Amino acid sequence: MRNTTSQDAFELQAVAGGQRLTRGTHEFVVRMDDAAYQNFNIDYFQFDRA
């Protein structure tokens, strides 16, 4: 994961290897570890058709 060291400088974070999905409805869930240091912002998620 790349670090921009700033709350107002954004970087795309690609998922290594990607993920192939089957046809149909899927659920996307984001979970954060309560015990981990969490100093980040998520501006948006982008899903690209491959």
Side-chain angles (χ1 to χ4, degrees):
M1 184 179 303
R2 290 181 274 183
N3 184 353
T4 63
T5 67
S6 175
Q7 293 289 335
D8 60 354
F10 303 101
E11 280 284 330
L12 291 177
Q13 304 290 321
V15 175
Q19 181 69 40
R20 291 198 176 267
L21 302 175
T22 58
R23 182 177 290 212
T25 302
H26 298 273
E27 183 176 318
F28 178 74
V29 178
V30 177
R31 293 188 178 97
M32 307 299 169
D33 183 354
D34 290 337
Y37 178 68
Q38 297 179 16
N39 183 21
F40 61 89
N41 294 320
I42 298 174
D43 190 40
Y44 67 92
F45 291 98
Q46 177 176 321
F47 299 90
D48 297 321
R49 184 181 294 246

